[in-house]
Amino acid sequence: MYFDTIQKTTVIREEPLILGIESSCDETACAVIRGRKILSSEIISSATEQAKYGGVVPEIASRAHTEAVDEVVERAVCKAGVTLKEIDAVAVTYGAGLLGALLVGLSFAKALAYSLGVPLIAVNHIRGHMAAAYLDDEALQPPFITLLASGGHTAIIHTKSYTEFEVLGATLDDAAGEAFDKVARVLGLQYPGGPNVERLAREGKNNIVFPKMLKGEGGYNFSYSGLKTAVINYCHTMEMKGQEYSRADVACSFQHAAVDVLIQKAIRAAKEKHLSTIVAGGGVIANGYLRQTLEIACKAEGLKAVIPARQYCTDNAAMIASEGLIQYKAGNFAPLDTNAKAAIPLR
Ligand code: KG4
Ligand code: ZN
């Protein structure tokens, strides 16, 4: 078929130069990696514009991507100190995300791959989050336990090889990031909620008892909806009684309840599967309390924790290039008629 002619002539290099593009939500991002080394990672965000509306407005995101994509790719290529002609493959997020937003990055990537005569690699955004750690630790190899916590996903995953996974448990309702965002709204904090809850929590104490979500039961599954409701009820009850309460204490107590269970379950999974490494990925992993607690807990249990730098936990294109590298090595190239998908499973 006409659309898959490029992949048939590709020579697989050991340390390819991969250009990654990400545009699934409100960040237009481009990165260049050589093997597992990040040469550049650029982001143009429409988050400030979105904050006025209290969340991401899809049409605003799509327009912002259209305006930013050219510039962000140019910046990434320049900062990497390479030329477009040297690029071996173009990796791009094809889902999950906002359809109009995805289409901007995907169309750009298709045109670029076609014009350069190199393969296109279609990347699942969540698999990108899971692959960010490979850039943080160049020696990292599966198997390990992946703790994934983003705006839409929360899961404990047994990563068996670069391409094989078993989801041991996942959220039954809200994702961890979603809970942070909803609690932020209750506390009157601006979008994006997670970092603002973290900032407020630093001024508070962990002195309010919120339900620990499925701590002992439920295998590796989570439920954040009960925790979120408990926070809402606490605030409303105090307000109805006309009692003063500390928003900072609510933020801090919520953060502890939300994070502690993630870490306990990840550690239990590592022990039960006899694995010595826990790898973290997703926007919530940017949380300072989570990072510190995971590091300390792993040390205490004799486990290794691989926690990517904050900017590679939240949406970025280096992680897309990293998953692109895995697919490149597997020879898994995408035809040029690949379409964007609003929702896709982990695999
Ligand atoms: O992974 P991500 O950037 O996008 C998705 O793929 O979903 O995750 C975004 C989520 C948001 O819910 C945001 O509030 C949360 O990650 N987040 C945080 C922090 N930074 C981002 N949550 C807690 N603490 C943070 N510092
Ligand atoms: Zn993401």
Side-chain angles (χ1 to χ4, degrees):
M1 175 186 162
Y2 168 77
F3 281 123
D4 60 15
T5 49
I6 290 172
Q7 68 197 62
K8 285 185 184 137
T9 57
T10 302
V11 177
I12 304 291
R13 288 187 212 281
E14 197 45 46
E15 300 253 289
L17 200 58
I18 297 189
L19 182 142
I21 296 177
E22 153 67 32
S23 71
S24 66
C25 192
D26 56 352
E27 258 102 29
T28 323
C30 181
V32 178
I33 62 171
R34 190 188 301 276
R36 285 201 195 178
K37 274 202 174 56
I38 302 172
L39 303 187
S40 65
S41 180
E42 294 294 304
I43 295 179
I44 298 178
S45 175
S46 65
T48 319
E49 176 76 3
Q50 309 283 2
K52 293 181 204 157
Y53 304 92
V56 180
V57 179
E59 180 60 18
I60 293 176
S62 306
R63 290 181 193 201
H65 287 310
T66 311
E67 283 165 19
V69 67
D70 245 334
E71 187 185 330
V72 87
V73 172
E74 190 178 343
R75 274 202 224 160
V77 173
C78 285
K79 285 215 175 148
V82 299
T83 60
L84 277 177
K85 281 195 184 137
E86 295 171 73
I87 301 290
D88 292 304
V90 178
V92 63
T93 308
Y94 79 102
L98 304 169
L99 206 61
L102 288 163
L103 282 170
V104 178
L106 182 60
S107 308
F108 193 98
K110 282 181 187 178
L112 186 60
Y114 183 72
S115 66
L116 296 175
V118 299
L120 176 78
I121 301 169
V123 172
N124 175 337
H125 180 84
I126 293 302
R127 291 274 290 271
H129 278 302
M130 291 165 65
Y134 290 120
L135 305 176
D136 189 71
D137 177 352
E138 286 185 45
L140 176 67
Q141 280 182 8
F144 47 75
I145 291 296
T146 301
L147 168 58
L148 171 70
S150 72
H153 289 77
T154 306
I156 304 282
I157 298 158
H158 180 185
T159 298
K160 296 181 175 177
S161 72
Y162 288 103
T163 53
E164 285 171 291
F165 308 90
E166 184 190 350
V167 178
L168 301 176
T171 183
L172 300 171
D173 37 58
D174 294 350
E178 218 175 331
F180 267 92
D181 293 338
K182 286 177 180 170
V183 165
R185 226 169 286 153
V186 175
L187 295 174
L189 300 169
Q190 264 209 328
Y191 171 86
N196 288 330
V197 170
E198 180 181 356
R199 222 163 286 134
L200 184 61
R202 268 186 233 129
E203 297 160 22
K205 294 190 197 74
N206 176 25
N207 57 7
I208 306 165
V209 181
F210 291 127
K212 294 268 177 189
M213 318 96 56
L214 302 178
K215 191 174 155 195
E217 70 272 26
Y220 294 109
N221 288 334
F222 305 93
S223 165
Y224 275 100
S225 159
L227 174 61
K228 172 201 68 188
T229 310
V231 172
I232 294 171
N233 288 346
Y234 176 85
C235 296
H236 286 177
T237 308
M238 297 301 270
E239 279 156 22
M240 266 160 45
K241 286 185 187 164
Q243 283 182 12
E244 293 261 319
Y245 69 95
S246 158
R247 285 162 63 254
D249 288 352
V250 172
C252 184
S253 306
F254 158 76
Q255 185 171 262
H256 273 77
V259 165
D260 292 353
V261 69
L262 284 176
I263 293 172
Q264 284 157 6
K265 292 206 179 201
I267 286 179
R268 180 153 63 78
K271 283 183 168 172
E272 280 178 20
K273 297 286 173 191
H274 306 290
L275 296 168
S276 58
T277 306
I278 294 180
V279 160
V284 180
I285 307 297
N287 183 278
Y289 170 70
L290 185 153
R291 301 170 72 83
Q292 200 182 13
T293 315
L294 181 59
E295 194 77 59
I296 293 169
C298 282
K299 207 169 250 172
E301 298 290 341
L303 300 169
K304 180 179 166 181
V306 183
I307 310 171
R310 279 192 171 84
Q311 72 265 33
Y312 301 117
C313 290
T314 47
D315 287 350
N316 67 91
M319 68 181 200
I320 302 304
S322 179
E323 175 60 18
L325 174 63
I326 292 170
Q327 300 302 330
Y328 175 92
K329 290 274 168 86
N332 189 11
F333 303 134
L336 288 174
D337 59 355
T338 297
N339 212 342
K341 286 201 167 136
I344 28 175
L346 263 183
R347 291 211 42 89

